[in-house]
Amino acid sequence: MRSSLVLRKRLIFAQAVMVTATLAACGGSGSATSGNTVKILVTAPLSSPAFSIPQVLSGAKAAAASINASGGVEGKQIEIVSCNDQSNPNQASQCAQTAVAEQVSAVTGYFLFGPQIFDATKAAGIPVLDSRPVSPTAGTSPNSFPMNAGNFSIYPGIARRLVEKGNKNIVVVPVNNAAGNFNGKLAAQGVEAAGGTVVRTVNTPVGAPDYSPYVHQALEEGNTEAIIYVGTPEDFPKFVLAAKQAGFSGHIGATIGHVPPEIAKAIADSGITIFASSAYYLPPAPQAGLFASDMAKYEPASSVDVFSAGTWAAVNAVANALKGKPATDSKSLMAALSSSSALDVGAIMPKVDFTKAGPVADYPRLTNADIVVVQVVNGSYETADAFFDPFVR
């Protein structure tokens, strides 16, 4: 969407017409930002038949409650407005329009539909703090301030660590769709960049009832030392079970999104060493102590995982970027974020730098590539090493 004055006026007018229908999916006061609040919109598939991550909202609410209890931002309280995109691109567009109509200072969440979020917010000058980028738009839009480099770093990162742990022959197992194939290529490039060899790539369907045939393909030549899984979290336990039944004794690499706490517990007795890459420290890591305590105090029923961690960090980023600033609107926040070279977002990740271009060609807005790799042990996370940049040799 172009950022001309005419289109901006049309966009705001259209939102005024649509607001009644949109409120069925969006929570909040429905009014413009007051002088006593800093309003942040959280949008994601909070509830949908296909994919639901309500903890994205919980993480933001916990951070806001903690910050408000300590005096807020320059004396103003953080107000969280929510919008459920329902895993629907049309609804995602409405959520972006809600951000414009609500005059929020920032948008955060988990965006399956990047252009639908970034186009409208870019025209309105609203910064977007993506908790985990999955859309290329997050890497190019000038109003994008992603907390991390998303799949562009977590897949090369897990590949690099597996090679460094002595796994030279690695099989990549992506789900057979556009996202899976793209992420599988990122993992394969990471293996090769680290000096390993991709023995083969084994594509799998979404929701396969039995993963045994695909595991056998992965192991058929007998030289597979590690497997990188690039499927869905729902299918990951089935894949691990099939690997266990096949007698695989090597390493499986994945992302922390594949192994949320409930899945970690479900595969606790697999006997397979699993490593997962993450953009955040998670409990029981001591660096996640404040995050864990905020969640326990303010959102005790929520899952404490990578999804809630991302928005918790984003809200802290907004609060810390605005410290000492005379204004807290979106324009002021955009300027503050743009000049932040060591922004504290909580100890769950390193300080972020939005002043430089990122290491991924064609996606300069992905500035914070550092990740950490954890080992899943007995159904829980153990931090395996410190944060590192997978692009630095």
Side-chain angles (χ1 to χ4, degrees), residues 107 117-130 137-138 140-146 334 337-338 365:
V107 173
I117 294 295
F118 283 99
D119 286 353
T121 54
K122 178 177 65 175
I126 300 172
V128 177
L129 292 88
D130 205 331
T137 315
T140 57
S141 185
N143 68 318
S144 177
F145 298 88
M334 184 91 76
L337 291 171
S338 297
R365 303 299 297 179

Side-chain angles (χ1 to χ4, degrees), residues 7 134 207 211 219 258 299 323 343 364:
L7 287 179
V134 294
Y211 270 83
L219 305 179
H258 292 125
E299 294 291 322
K323 280 184 179 178
L343 182 61

